[in-house]
Amino acid sequence: MHNALSVDHGTATPATQPGGSVDLETLESIQQRVLWLSTSMIHHANRIRPNPTGLKVGGHQASCASMVSIMTSLWFEQLQPGDRVSVKPHASPVLHGINYLLGELDEKYLTTLREFGGLQSYPSRSKDPDTVDYSTGSVGIGATAPIWGAMARRYVQTTTGGAGTGRQYSLVGDAELDEGAVWEAILDPGIADLGEVVWIVDLNRQSLDRVIPNIAANRLEKMFDAAGWQVITVKFGKLLEELFTRPGGQALRTRILDMPNPEYQRLLRCSADEVRTRLPGDGPGSAEISGLIAGLDDPTLTAAIRNLGGHDLSALTAAYRQIDDTRPTVIIAYTIKGYGLPTQGHPQNHSSLLSVDEYASLAADLGMDPANPWGRFPADSAAGRRCASTAVRLRRDPVPNAPALTIPTDIGRTPKGTATTQAALGRVLLDLTREAPEAAKRVVTVSPDVSSTTNLGGWVNKVGVWSAAERRNWFDDDRETIMHWNERPTGQHMELGIAETNLVGLMGELGATWSRWGQPLFPIGVMYDPFVERALEPWSYGIYAGGQSILVGTPSGVTLAAEGGAHQSIKTPSIGLEQPGCISYEPAFAIDTEWTLLASIGRLGRPDGTSAYLRLSTRPVDQTLAAVPTDPAARERRRRQVVAGGYPLVRRDNAVVTIVAIGAMMTEALAAADRLAEQGIPADVVCVTSPGLLFEAVQARQGRGSGESWILDQLFPADRATPIVTVLDGHPHTLAFLAGINRVRSTCLGVSKFGQVGSLDDVYRYHGIDTDSIVRAALDLLP
């Protein structure tokens, strides 16, 4: 336990319930049953359920065992209905076992762990049949989710009301703290105000492959403390604490604290005789330790070595009672991986499974029947009554139906002059406050310190910045300050530090409020498009968990010429083709931005909702090129096409080639079509707004999807089938599938190598997406 000594933040003492002491005997009985159930679920999935393929099923019995005490004391002593818990991924069977004892999970599911349609490998809000507060699985994402959940709850409570109160718990494995995103979240300055956030670290000092040699627990404590968190450390249990008071006890305490982690872990695998030989060591206090343990019988000695605070129910309950709700709290609980199992403390027990004989031995130790492993406690037993009373205490009111909100589909303005799609974003949000104020109140924008450079300044000035408490704006009387940073609990813009993973984590929780409290929000996150891939995994995980949001990447592509290759996104256009639960758009004109953004907002905050990704540009474009119809019916037809994935922009009689372009490339596409026409070569021009929606339409036409395919007939009618040239400011494969619609020849232009600094003309020419390149590609396709 080298480096385990930490600054004490209070001494854990047994807690009391109103009217009497904690019933430790009943809690211990429940704890043993939870250990048995979690172990049995994994055992059944791997040893009993037929497995014709022979592929590994897996599970983590040891990781579950180290969490059993923590979760038993939390659920059966501490939690309130408004509290929510993110359970570390590998402890999902413990959660299901507790839910089963509380009557929230039918027995039929206990045999379905990791089976199709059954209990998921890791906790899932959207796929598990019982109550799961946070989906976890990907390292770091589940750990930080309660932070963003706390912010989302506070935001709802201060803007619409109805979110109530409650702590946000995160149960974290110590190895998960290696994830950098965890510390990005902990260190964000806004987190220090979230007193409802509580992390419980399962400090079992093992990772997947090994015992961690230098876990440096005191360093972890200091890092949390430096970030403004309350630190509560639960090192030892009642038995060890009592031994420390005897003669030789201080020497024993010092020996255990100074002992390297691997040496301590090795003691867990020793017999009592081996412990008597190894434990005293050869230091100055070895004789005192030998004298102390000589008076202990073998069961007491081996139990003492395992008596860490993370497995002592009274110490854990006392730790929970010390939580300071004025700042975030971390409880560091020392545990043993595999506690209570034959594999406890083994350096490779992470994914190991009990053998049939070991499982039978565990059953004998716990008084259970391996042939009938799923028994609940008798209703009239002390444990049965505690389960029933806990179920009543934790019962939540049903989530109310979300209010009906009308989202306009068309503001009615036709942009003139020169504009960018990025600038259109801010204008649409401001227009929404006038055209649909009730819907606009649900919009919350999120940004990692790029609000002003992504054209959100006007919006931020109007709606203000959200903060847990009102803060004075010391620049409100500075006439040269254009962007006003007015922070208050009713603000609608939330800004985090430069950490994209934090931003999308917050977006996911803001986008899940419709399912938590019946209060839908419309979160819109804005970041530089080159950094979207950095944020993609946690954003995708948020979508998986039911968080619906709009991610705006801007500016995008090599069109950001002067910034050079490191700031020129290449692969992001295909995200919409590949990301489940998301519709992507890359509008070419300001009106396209308006229509696609409004349509995307309209899909948020409902059971059948979807997220969206908009890829915007800072390139100024002549808005008259959009040729927006003036007739109302024709305008609505164009809008529907834009939202469905694209529209025909130029139709020429007897066209012999079709140029298909996206976003910023429409200027070059139209110029190339004009030059071809001058040579007597008529060319159609199609503006694609969503490759993903067009791909879904193709799949639907082939009977492989449930979507509609009408848009294909309007963009690529069979009677106008010609060779096509596709061009976009991104990887050319994004549009390659379009040639298959009418089985025509094609050339796909785009960006497939790192960019260069230069002018727009130079960079486009370098990548072969300039007007000349489009013309040449069209000519090459002709006879």
Side-chain angles (χ1 to χ4, degrees), residues 682-721:
D684 284 346
V685 179
V686 172
C687 178
V688 169
T689 56
S690 177
L693 288 178
L694 295 188
F695 183 76
E696 290 181 11
V698 170
Q699 294 288 87
R701 176 177 283 185
Q702 296 174 351
R704 303 177 189 278
S706 58
E708 298 179 346
S709 61
W710 62 267
I711 188 64
L712 300 179
D713 295 325
Q714 297 193 9
L715 298 187
F716 306 103
D719 61 354
R720 297 189 69 89

Side-chain angles (χ1 to χ4, degrees), residues 722 724 726 735-748:
T722 65
I724 63 174
T726 64
L735 297 178
F737 71 93
L738 295 177
I741 295 173
N742 290 316
R743 294 184 175 86
V744 298
R745 292 181 298 126
S746 67
T747 297
C748 299

Side-chain angles (χ1 to χ4, degrees), residues 661-673:
I662 301 181
M665 302 311 306
M666 284 310 305
T667 300
E668 280 65 32
L670 291 168

